[in-house]
Amino acid sequence: MVLGGGMRLLTGLLIGACMVLVGPSAPSSAPFARSLPAEAVGDVVANRVMTWNICNPCEESNVDRAAEIAAYAPQVIGLQEACVRDVERIRDHLESLHGLVYHVEYGTVLRNWGRCGGAPWSPGAYGQAVLSAAPLSGLVNVEYPQGGSEDRGYMAVTTTVGGQRLRVFNTHLAERRQEAVRADQTRVLAADVAQYERAIVLGDFNAVPTASELTGMWELAADADPECRPSLTGGCKPTTDWQSRFDYIFLRRIVPLEHGVHPTPYSDHHLLHADLDTT
């Protein structure tokens, strides 16, 4: 009897220690219930914008992509090489896992089964997307007259950044070694940007700062990084895995405060964000 009582006491102590180490189990009545994780953000940085080309590799987890975005919680996000179904899932994960709620508009330039899946007779839409914590209005979706090796375009929306209503553009220019095509695309984009007193232009321009095809953009706007200029002495941080600066946040008559370039394992392009003084 004494031995049996001692064993029961020892067993109870061991169970108690395990519960402390492992934590309480989920209630049996709701085995799949979950709350927001500890890293949930719950609110955005009202004056922060971000640009990110999310493809290559293209089959990455949208849960991981959402977590990368949530780490910086921007007010506005411009995505390139984005399938609509991926953006929908990223948006869902941002809300359900991180407490971040975004509106969305799409700048579709093609439907491609190989890239975006779907039924062969109804392939998924592909192109750009803008997510914003504030409502979006005035969507314009333009496909460039010359796309190069693949259809390309830009989209524009009006939304709120830092408490101010601003025009936000998001683009993806033609691939490398297509300088003449990019020059034509930049002329089309710059003509639209020039209509606005103040604007933000996000995107993957597939060109380094000194490339002649970006001249039209540099004449209208400055990069969010004051050290990044269209000169050989510019101190532009690379935004790709091959150490080139291809991604930009061009600001037309808007003052940058801080910026960051963040390598990520989920794309060969880095996340680029900027905090702005929009007053």
Side-chain angles (χ1 to χ4, degrees):
M1 291 293 292
V2 174
L3 180 59
M7 289 299 294
R8 285 194 296 271
L9 177 60
L10 178 60
T11 300
L13 290 172
L14 289 173
I15 292 173
C18 289
M19 290 183 68
V20 169
L21 291 172
V22 176
S25 61
S28 58
S29 59
F32 302 107
R34 67 178 181 183
S35 59
L36 289 176
E39 66 270 18
V41 178
D43 203 1
V44 299
V45 181
N47 66 334
R48 179 171 293 170
V49 298
M50 173 183 287
T51 184
W52 190 20
N53 182 323
I54 63 173
C55 197
N56 279 334
C58 299
E59 302 300 325
E60 290 294 335
S61 164
N62 290 312
V63 171
D64 294 329
R65 287 168 169 165
E68 292 285 277
I69 293 170
Y72 306 100
Q75 170 81 6
V76 172
I77 309 153
L79 300 177
Q80 303 89 40
E81 291 203 62
C83 296
V84 167
R85 68 182 62 219
D86 286 326
V87 176
E88 289 173 342
R89 290 167 181 161
I90 290 169
R91 186 174 171 227
D92 288 344
H93 295 321
L94 283 167
E95 181 173 1
S96 63
L97 299 179
H98 305 283
L100 297 172
V101 179
Y102 288 98
H103 304 266
V104 65
E105 290 285 6
Y106 296 97
T108 297
V109 292
L110 58 84
R111 293 185 176 273
N112 189 301
W113 181 83
R115 282 188 179 272
C116 298
W121 57 89
S122 182
Y126 171 85
Q128 287 74 246
V130 170
L131 288 78
S132 174
L136 298 155
S137 63
L139 171 66
V140 169
N141 189 18
V142 177
E143 186 172 331
Y144 291 123
Q146 291 192 65
S149 57
E150 180 181 83
D151 293 347
R152 295 289 162 90
Y154 73 88
M155 61 183 295
V157 294
T158 299
T159 190
T160 302
V161 181
Q164 302 294 319
R165 297 288 286 173
L166 294 170
R167 196 65 170 164
V168 177
F169 294 80
N170 182 22
T171 191
H172 185 198
L173 301 191
E175 294 175 326
R176 290 176 290 177
R177 296 179 295 278
Q178 298 180 78
E179 292 84 357
V181 175
R182 287 197 299 275
D184 286 339
Q185 293 172 344
T186 303
R187 280 191 286 270
V188 173
L189 173 62
D192 197 351
V193 174
Q195 297 180 45
Y196 295 88
E197 185 70 19
R198 306 172 79 206
I200 301 168
V201 185
L202 311 171
D204 173 6
F205 286 75
N206 269 317
V208 297
T210 56
S212 61
E213 60 263 36
L214 294 188
T215 299
M217 288 306 307
W218 289 117
E219 291 174 347
L220 289 174
D223 189 72
D225 178 359
E227 298 299 318
C228 187
R229 302 183 301 273
S231 66
L232 294 177
T233 59
C236 298
K237 294 180 180 178
T239 61
T240 65
D241 286 353
W242 54 94
Q243 298 300 304
S244 293
R245 178 60 175 257
F246 277 5
D247 305 88
Y248 300 86
I249 297 176
F250 283 113
L251 303 175
R252 179 165 168 80
R253 300 194 175 106
I254 297 171
V255 178
L257 297 176
E258 296 183 7
H259 70 279
V261 178
H262 310 285
T264 166
Y266 307 112
S267 173
D268 58 0
H269 285 255
H270 308 339
L271 288 85
L272 175 63
H273 88 263
D275 295 352
L276 312 176
D277 180 357
T278 60
T279 58

